[in-house]
Amino acid sequence: MRMAGSTSDKLANRILRGLVVGIILGVITLVAGPHVPLPEGLQALLEHVGVKSSATLLEAMRGISTVLLDPFGRVFLRLLFFVIIPLVFASLATGVVQLGRPDKLGPLAGRTFALFFLNMAIGVALGLVMMNTLQPGSYIDEATKARLMTEFGGAAQKHVSASASQTGLSLAVIVEMFMPANLFAAVVGSSTARIGDVLPLILFAILVGVVGMSFPDDKRHRLMDSLQMVTDLMTGIVHFALRLAPYAVPCLIYSVLVKSGLDIIKALGVFVLGCAAVMALHLFGTMSVWLKVWTRWSPRAYFAAIKDVLVTAFSTSSSNATLPAALENATDKLNISPSTAGFVLPLGTTMNMSGTALYEGCVVLFVAQVFGVDLSIGQQITLLLLSVLSAVAVAGIPGGSLPLIAGLLITFGIPPEGIGIILGTDRILDMCRTATNVGCDITTAVVVDELTKRAESRTAG
């Protein structure tokens, strides 16, 4: 999610322009490159700097991409990878500690949190069904997948082989995945070329947050401040990395194009259209079912009432920037009680991230398909749960979903460098998932308000 404001808009536009430039140059190279021979002197010069087999322009640019463009793009990606471990821990633990004591919040909190989880889980499930149905990664042939795996896989290939050797998910395997004997060894990883396991870190962060909830208020606030400081520091590094994105994205997409061919553009197009469609299905389909089942609103009248908020969310790409308009709309047009709106909507801005969770699950499955990594049904169910947790953890952190997505890729043995393939398409999907997040927040507030009023009526009667 990006922060609202001209600075982030300019950055997003520069990244989008960089994507277009990278695609145009890549297509030109693919079309003309095989027919443009290189002079022998230039071939010798390129061989001197490590670029081999450069009889044509296309072969030369593939070599230059490996020697020059990929390392530059890797600087951007590695800055994101740096923050994965501390960001996952601090942001998720902070989110749990901030809940305070749920037993004191009563039925309002119980209904709210239950609907938040249900909303995000349904969103991710729809996204995974879409990805398994459309199979956008299948638009890339097997030879290209093998080349991509060789190019980007590295140490992650060993992880894939190790995962493939497992007989399946059993209770013992699940315990080992989430609760290794040595937490820090598992999190740190076995080599500098591979990030450690994220699953035990997530469990540890949740445990820290749950214990922190029981602290007295003064100690709990000190813990929250410390964790928030770590989150802010990691967010600053993410911001720094994003400043490189307008230059790294065209390098990454150009490199992928000249090595993979035009198939990657088809795959990305299907991926973007599929994600946008399933987000619209979740917002206007799932939420319509909720309205029919739990409220007196007709979907047509309801979405007409909140259309201004959805447009604001879509145009700003920021749930935080849309919150004032959402609060006003909830009380004035939807007649939600101020107490319910004041509790559910601000909390939803940081916790109810169905569009983000849906997107994370789709990205992981798409990159897995591109690299030819098959995720079983059990692994996809685990992905669903982790996408929900990750979406909560990165809420309100500009660009923070990128390192968390990388962490999910690592968890399932998929080369994290694969996120470079989808970076340029993030702008339009960011707008779509923000509108989905906000629309689902308001719908949840409507449902919670209706259920609360019914419960109060029964009690009074």
Side-chain angles (χ1 to χ4, degrees):
M1 298 284 291
R2 296 183 182 85
M3 295 178 64
S6 59
T7 301
S8 64
D9 288 341
K10 290 179 180 177
L11 176 62
N13 291 333
R14 290 172 63 197
I15 294 174
L16 190 58
R17 286 197 296 269
L19 169 70
V20 173
V21 170
I23 290 176
I24 291 174
L25 293 178
V27 171
I28 292 174
T29 303
L30 286 171
V31 173
H35 311 292
V36 179
L38 288 187
E40 292 185 2
L42 184 55
Q43 292 183 43
L45 177 62
L46 291 176
E47 289 180 4
H48 183 70
V49 297
V51 178
K52 302 184 183 301
S53 301
S54 304
T56 65
L57 176 64
L58 178 59
E59 292 173 345
M61 293 313 299
R62 284 175 174 169
I64 290 173
S65 295
T66 299
V67 173
L68 181 63
L69 300 184
D70 287 348
F72 177 71
R74 199 171 293 127
V75 171
F76 165 69
L77 295 175
R78 292 296 169 85
L79 283 174
L80 296 177
F81 298 167
F82 275 177
V83 308
I84 290 175
I85 299 301
L87 182 59
V88 168
F89 172 75
S91 58
L92 187 53
T94 302
V96 176
V97 175
Q98 283 177 338
L99 298 180
R101 299 189 177 185
D103 58 302
K104 292 188 175 182
L105 297 178
L108 176 63
R111 296 187 188 99
T112 301
F113 296 141
L115 289 172
F116 281 175
F117 178 82
L118 180 62
N119 173 42
M120 290 187 285
I122 292 174
V124 180
L126 289 173
L128 296 183
V129 169
M130 179 274 294
M131 292 298 296
N132 283 290
T133 301
L134 294 184
Q135 293 279 335
S138 66
Y139 287 82
I140 303 174
D141 60 38
E142 293 301 322
T144 301
K145 289 181 181 180
R147 188 164 59 247
L148 284 172
M149 198 61 170
T150 302
E151 181 70 29
F152 294 103
Q157 178 62 56
K158 298 178 181 178
H159 193 118
V160 175
S161 300
S163 299
S165 65
Q166 294 180 355
T167 57
L169 282 180
S170 65
L171 182 59
V173 171
I174 293 174
V175 170
E176 192 62 31
M177 287 169 56
F178 284 90
M179 305 181 72
N182 189 328
L183 170 67
F184 291 101
V187 170
V188 170
S190 58
S191 71
T192 57
R194 177 177 175 269
I195 299 173
D197 297 326
V198 181
L199 292 180
L201 182 70
I202 289 175
L203 177 60
F204 182 63
I206 293 174
L207 290 174
V208 169
V210 170
V211 173
M213 288 168 57
S214 64
F215 284 1
D217 286 345
D218 58 337
K219 290 182 67 177
R220 187 166 62 86
H221 287 133
R222 287 201 301 271
L223 175 61
M224 286 172 53
D225 290 340
S226 300
L227 292 170
Q228 189 60 50
M229 179 67 72
V230 176
T231 300
D232 292 342
L233 286 170
M234 297 306 106
T235 301
I237 296 177
V238 172
H239 287 162
F240 184 75
L242 289 177
R243 293 175 65 179
L244 297 177
Y247 313 102
V249 165
C251 291
L252 291 168
I253 197 65
Y254 178 85
S255 177
V256 170
L257 270 175
V258 296
K259 294 174 184 178
S260 307
L262 297 177
D263 288 347
I264 195 68
I265 296 181
K266 298 178 184 177
L268 278 173
V270 175
F271 170 72
V272 171
L273 292 175
C275 285
V278 80
M279 288 180 194
L281 173 64
H282 183 52
L283 175 58
F284 297 107
T286 305
M287 294 301 100
S288 293
V289 173
W290 284 27
L291 293 169
K292 286 284 190 180
V293 172
W294 285 312
T295 76
R296 299 181 179 88
W297 279 94
S298 73
R300 182 184 296 273
Y302 169 76
F303 286 110
I306 68 168
K307 64 179 180 181
D308 293 341
V309 180
L310 295 180
V311 170
T312 301
F314 185 82
S315 60
T316 62
S317 297
S318 172
S319 298
N320 292 330
T322 312
L323 181 58
L327 286 168
E328 181 181 3
N329 181 280
T331 54
D332 292 351
K333 291 187 177 182
L334 302 179
N335 298 317
I336 299 175
S337 64
S339 60
T340 301
F343 177 80
V344 176
L345 292 179
L347 194 61
T349 299
T350 57
M351 287 190 65
N352 191 30
M353 314 298 286
S354 59
T356 302
L358 187 159
Y359 175 71
E360 290 183 1
C362 288
V363 169
V364 171
L365 210 52
F366 173 67
V367 178
Q369 292 172 2
V370 168
F371 284 98
V373 180
D374 183 42
L375 296 185
S376 66
I377 296 297
Q379 288 174 312
Q380 291 190 37
I381 292 174
T382 303
L383 173 60
L384 185 152
L385 297 174
L386 293 180
S387 296
V388 171
L389 287 174
S390 297
V392 173
V394 302
I397 301 174
S401 61
L402 294 177
L404 269 294
I405 290 173
L408 290 176
L409 290 170
I410 293 161
T411 297
F412 294 98
I414 306 164
E417 290 82 1
I419 63 173
I421 298 173
I422 55 90
L423 284 175
T425 65
D426 187 66
R427 174 58 173 174
I428 183 62
L429 291 179
D430 191 10
M431 299 166 74
C432 294
R433 65 180 180 262
T434 302
T436 303
N437 290 339
V438 171
C440 291
D441 286 347
I442 301 177
T443 307
T444 302
V446 171
V447 172
V448 170
D449 188 61
E450 182 73 22
L451 294 178
T452 300
K453 289 177 179 176
R454 291 179 184 176
E456 291 175 348
S457 298
R458 288 195 297 268
T459 303

